[in-house]
Amino acid sequence: MNSTDPIVIVGAGLAGATAAQTLRAEGYAGTLVVIGDEPQQPYWRPPLSKGLLAGYAEPEHIAVAPPQSWADHDIDLRTGITVRELDPAARTLTLNNGSHLRYSQLLLATGGRARQVAGMDGARTLRTLSDALALRDELTKQPALLVIGAGLIGLETAATARQLGCEVNVLEVAGAPLSRVAPPWLGGVFAALHRSKGVRLELGMRLDRVTETADGVVAVAADGRTNWSADIAVAALGMVPETGLAERAGLTVSGGIVVDEWCRTSAPGVFAAGDVTVRTHPLLGGLYRIEHYSNALAQATAAARNMLGNRTSYAPVPSATSEQFGTRLEICGWPDAADVYGERGCSVRGEPEDLDFSALFWKDDRLVAAACVGRSGEFEQLHRIIRDHPYTDVDRLTDPAVDLATIVG
């Protein structure tokens, strides 16, 4: 390794931008290059389906940092550039213009792309700033909108469009919304919320295709039904990690780039952070991946410190946040690791019917997850309890008279 070669970050999303900022904050004074394939400077992705889509935030409002700050911190930010190949042995990258770039250390923060499903050519996706701005322009006309997928992004998009006056229909293959992050009963709480606001939500609906017509789009179910037509369709079917570069370079990949607790990949001098990474988990067994901005921030910070030799173990308690029709849902930990994940297989503080409650999930005597609606203060406390005091007595945690702050300390 030539120490005069730059540290290079591939990926100019939140993880890549955070790592670059952390490297400078931790005292790295050498050459620092950040490469991103989108034309825009780094931005926050969560507002795409909420504030930006609704029109009360603009691109400059969701920028990770002011445009001039990258130059002010001597960060060579290169946007609209794709890295074609990585040679870990030579510590060299090949860019899409054919040029080569050597590195002393490399961080892969390549994130992911919207999941594409065969037959959905008539539906657009919502993953990038360009996607969101194009859809926002359409929503100003108050079109009939068809959302395919009732995960976090699908429901946020549906809520935003409905609040803009659009007619909204949501189709979901699972029996409840939010099936990837929440148990069915909790998904049912949000199904009721959406229906109360006029969203037509149909569950257990497997689609065969979405096709464009002269009048808009038509969805065709696997059983041949064609009951759903709209002006626009959005497929919110999750994301796929961008692992191609790592795979071609021979790094260990299994549903994401495999990293250890120090954010190191299988190649010397190559680290990874953010949505693209997977790591082992003692509760769940096997590998798991976290798709949320809080993980991108924290893991990128840890990766940057480890690149500088400041050993920082990263063992996160994952979290996710969503806001729909002014109702805030926050989830932390691993709900699907609980002993009972199904119908109210948890302890509940508060009243789900009032959209004011916390649900606590247990594995044996260990608190492994919490989901809070309308209780952000309590959520922060439960997040810390899962991390620092997971074996707190069940009766104490579920007693509504107990102030959780006394447990957190």
Side-chain angles (χ1 to χ4, degrees), residues 26 261-263 298 301-306 309-315:
E26 293 285 317
E261 65 179 305
W262 314 107
C263 309
T301 300
R305 290 172 177 163
N306 285 313
N310 303 327
R311 285 174 67 82
T312 303
S313 175
Y314 183 63

Side-chain angles (χ1 to χ4, degrees), residues 81 91 96 112 124 234 247 252 258 264-265 327 337 339 341 400:
I81 301 293
R91 299 204 179 208
N96 60 342
R124 62 186 68 193
V234 174
E247 290 181 70
T252 301
V258 178
R264 299 175 299 194
T265 72
T327 297
D339 291 322
Y341 186 64

Side-chain angles (χ1 to χ4, degrees), residues 3 72 109 114 130 132 164 237 273 326 329 354 377:
S3 61
D72 289 345
S130 297
L164 290 172
L237 302 172
L329 166 66
D354 297 334

Side-chain angles (χ1 to χ4, degrees), residues 105-121:
Q105 295 189 89
L106 175 68
L107 176 69
L108 297 177
T110 47
R113 63 186 183 277
R115 185 180 300 277
Q116 302 286 345
V117 176
M120 299 293 163
D121 297 341

